[in-house]
């Protein structure tokens, strides 16, 4: 049975909170991006940080303007200086940390993707949901990238209803991480879970239908094969094709390559329907674009109606301050704006536990399909 949840009570409850005080769990690369973006919110500030690496906790505290450095999860939650939490630790820790928090205090949580890394953790998430009494938002930043948000707004009108959706991600290899956790499938859940749960979430959102079947081929061709950690060679994949069939008869495909950082654009999303085609071009992090090549590419939408034939394009530039605050085309800020409103009782959870679980389920099925060389039927939601 597919994992679904009775969702958070989304009725608006004004709670009078003017400034949300955040506790950050995990102060690595993405934790710092959250801190930078919370710093841009008119109603938010980071008040406490937690990381087992003291230097990173201290650096996070400094960036947050002197946030308290907590020594443990109970220490983080002991006191009234934290109103909401952001979980930004390595993937395999998310479920245990959600459980630990549930034994301490029920605060709103923004939990980084992927929600879980294996089917057993998926079962535990069901127990957690039954127990937890505050809003949970799974961080699927890609939904909030301005070019992807514009694509989702325009796709129905441009296509007359999507028949085929393709997401191509051609990017740089996985970056080095503290403890090299991202080199091994046991920690990440596998590349399609770690990296591509975003894309499976976008597929479900665009298709407005449930995924029913997954076929995939994938593996490790080029990256990390010459690395060794305590004698162990990384097993993380760097390329895959995944086809997802939806209950409404429409189909989507992912094309992932992680040794293609020479590309102009990192993501190229294409939807085609009876009336025409729309494409969304999303550049990778600007800090990886060589100065010698001039300005980094600007995100774009391309419109290709069938009749009359009249292709056109529109730039979707991202605010410079937001580009400076992270690697994700401003999406971290826009997601935080909405989560912040939820905590203040003025908004609704938009990326639910069900959404987060469904994206991981597709990814796990794709990895199983590629390993076993067969089609995987997804369980019916219910
Ligand atoms: N949504 C996105 O676009 C996006 C982008 C990057 C990363 N992420 C997610 O963010 C999470 C962190 O990724 P990252 O790239 O920052 O990795 P990272 O290795 O740079 O940072 C992880 C941090 O967590 C800390 N940590 C380890 N154990 C901890 C514990 N028990 N409690 C608290 N902190 C702990 C580490 O010391 C490290 O500083 C991952 O789940 C990743 O998938 C999401």
């Amino acid at each position: 049975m597919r994992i679904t949840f009775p969702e958070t009570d989304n009725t608006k409850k004004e709670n009078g909170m003017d400034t949300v005080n955040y506790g950050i769990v995990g102060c690595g690369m993405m934790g710092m991006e959250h801190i930078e973006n919370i710093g841009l919110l008119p109603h938010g500030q980071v008040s406490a940080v937690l990381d087992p690496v003291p230097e990173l906790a201290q650096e996070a505290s400094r960036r947050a303007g002197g946030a308290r450095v907590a020594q443990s999860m109970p220490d983080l939650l002991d006191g009234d200086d934290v109103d909401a939490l952001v979980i930004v630790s390595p993937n395999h820790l998310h479920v245990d940390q959600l459980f630990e928090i549930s034994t301490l205090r029920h605060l709103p949580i923004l939990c980084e993707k992927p929600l879980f890394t294996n089917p057993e953790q998926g079962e535990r998430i069901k127990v957690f949901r039954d127990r937890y009494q505050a809003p949970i938002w799974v961080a699927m930043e890609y939904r909030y990238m301005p070019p992807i948000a514009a694509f989702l707004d325009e796709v129905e009108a441009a296509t007359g209803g999507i028949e085929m959706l393709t997401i191509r991600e051609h990017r740089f290899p996985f970056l080095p991480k503290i403890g090299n956790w991202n080199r091994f499938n046991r920690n990440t859940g596998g590349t399609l879970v770690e990296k591509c749960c975003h894309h499976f979430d976008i597929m479900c959102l665009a298709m407005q239908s449930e995924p029913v079947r997954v076929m995939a081929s994938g593996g490790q061709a080029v990256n990390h094969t010459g690395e060794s950690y305590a004698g162990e060679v990384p097993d993380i994949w760097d390329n895959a094709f995944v086809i997802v069939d939806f209950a409404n008869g429409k189909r989507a495909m992912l094309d992932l390559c992680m040794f293609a950082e020479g590309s102009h654009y990192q993501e190229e999303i294409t939807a085609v329907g009876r009336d025409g085609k729309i494409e969304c071009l999303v550049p990778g992090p600007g800090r990886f674009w060589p100065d010698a090549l001039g300005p980094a590419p600007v995100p774009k939408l391309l419109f290709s109606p069938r009749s009359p034939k009249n292709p056109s394009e529109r730039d979707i530039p991202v605010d410079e301050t937001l580009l400076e605050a992270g690697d994700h085309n401003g999406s971290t800020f826009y997601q935080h704006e909405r989560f912040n409103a939820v905590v203040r009782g003025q908004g609704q959870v938009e990326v639910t536990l069900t959404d987060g679980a469904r994206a991981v389920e597709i990814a796990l099925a794709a990895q199983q399909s590629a390993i076993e060389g067969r089609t995987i039927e997804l369980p019916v939601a219910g």
Side-chain angles (χ1 to χ4, degrees):
M1 179 79 73
R2 171 104 35 90
I3 301 171
T4 59
F5 302 93
E7 297 304 350
T8 309
D9 176 3
N10 279 332
T11 49
K12 293 184 182 181
K13 298 186 198 78
E14 294 276 350
N15 59 15
M17 189 185 294
D18 184 53
T19 298
V20 177
N21 292 301
Y22 293 83
I24 305 291
V25 180
C27 303
M29 189 204 79
M30 196 60 197
M32 297 299 181
E33 180 165 328
H34 281 288
I35 290 169
E36 295 294 337
N37 282 276
I38 290 168
L40 298 173
L41 293 172
H43 300 283
Q45 64 187 21
V46 172
S47 53
V49 297
L50 173 64
D51 197 293
V53 180
E55 298 76 22
L56 287 172
Q58 290 299 339
E59 170 61 11
S61 163
R62 188 192 66 73
R63 286 204 199 189
R68 174 169 67 90
V69 175
Q71 302 305 321
S72 64
M73 194 72 85
D75 184 31
L76 181 71
L77 291 168
D78 182 24
D80 58 5
D81 64 348
V82 176
D83 305 313
L85 295 170
V86 186
I87 296 182
V88 212
S89 54
N91 302 357
H92 58 297
L93 302 179
H94 295 172
V95 174
D96 281 345
Q97 290 179 329
L98 288 168
F99 263 86
E100 186 178 9
I101 293 162
S102 75
T103 64
L104 297 165
R105 268 172 80 189
H106 291 208
L107 293 176
I109 299 174
L110 177 67
C111 180
E112 264 301 347
K113 50 53 60 172
L115 184 56
F116 54 87
T117 56
N118 58 49
E120 292 71 30
Q121 287 190 349
E123 290 299 314
R124 292 183 63 213
I125 280 288
K126 292 182 195 170
V127 178
F128 165 78
R129 178 59 189 92
D130 289 342
R131 171 187 292 195
Y132 207 68
Q133 301 296 318
I136 308 282
W137 182 309
V138 181
M140 291 290 190
E141 277 88 355
Y142 275 61
R143 289 185 181 203
Y144 300 98
M145 283 187 188
I148 295 182
F151 170 87
L152 292 168
D153 280 348
E154 301 272 2
V155 68
E156 184 70 23
T159 61
I162 306 174
E163 295 294 335
M164 301 171 69
L165 177 71
T166 312
I167 301 182
R168 167 180 287 168
E169 180 175 21
H170 281 191
R171 58 161 270 178
F172 53 92
F174 283 118
L175 298 172
K177 296 286 166 190
I178 304 285
N180 307 300
W181 65 269
N182 67 345
R183 294 307 197 249
F184 297 100
N185 294 325
R186 63 175 174 272
N187 301 327
T188 64
T191 296
L192 300 182
V193 172
E194 149 61 19
K195 182 83 274 307
C196 304
C197 59
H198 282 298
H199 305 317
F200 299 128
D201 178 60
I202 296 295
M203 285 180 188
C204 295
L205 197 59
M207 291 302 207
Q208 295 288 309
S209 179
E210 286 296 311
V212 292
R213 192 175 302 111
V214 179
M215 292 149 269
S217 173
Q220 183 186 21
V222 174
N223 296 346
H224 317 304
T225 52
E227 300 173 12
S228 175
Y229 302 96
E232 207 180 349
V233 176
D235 58 3
I236 197 91
W237 294 0
D238 58 17
N239 74 102
F241 292 122
V242 180
I243 294 174
V244 184
D245 281 341
F246 284 81
N248 61 5
K250 318 302 180 188
R251 52 190 61 85
M253 189 181 85
L254 172 74
D255 162 359
L256 174 74
C257 178
M258 299 191 64
F259 41 92
E261 62 270 38
S263 313
H264 263 98
Y265 289 98
Q266 179 167 300
E267 276 90 16
E268 298 173 53
I269 306 178
T270 305
V272 196
R274 71 183 62 208
D275 294 345
K277 179 163 103 170
I278 179 171
E279 293 160 273
C280 176
L281 306 182
V282 184
R287 67 187 167 110
F288 296 149
W289 188 258
D291 289 341
L293 296 182
V298 173
K300 277 183 198 307
L301 289 186
L302 309 181
F303 299 86
S304 305
R306 294 177 75 192
S307 179
K309 184 170 179 165
N310 180 27
S312 64
E313 62 180 70
R314 188 197 308 160
D315 285 353
I316 314 281
V318 177
D319 182 279
E320 284 295 329
T321 306
L322 301 188
L323 285 176
E324 288 293 315
D327 283 342
H328 300 93
N329 286 292
S331 57
T332 306
F333 175 79
Y334 292 118
Q335 180 174 253
H336 265 298
E337 264 192 332
R338 289 167 158 85
F339 177 68
N340 182 272
V342 171
V343 182
R344 290 184 297 111
Q346 297 178 9
Q348 301 185 347
V349 172
E350 295 177 15
V351 191
T352 63
L353 285 173
T354 298
D355 295 327
R358 183 174 47 198
V360 173
E361 286 167 339
I362 298 172
L364 289 171
Q367 290 172 175
Q368 185 186 354
S369 170
I371 290 166
E372 298 179 5
R374 66 186 180 90
T375 299
I376 305 295
E377 302 288 333
L378 289 168
V380 177

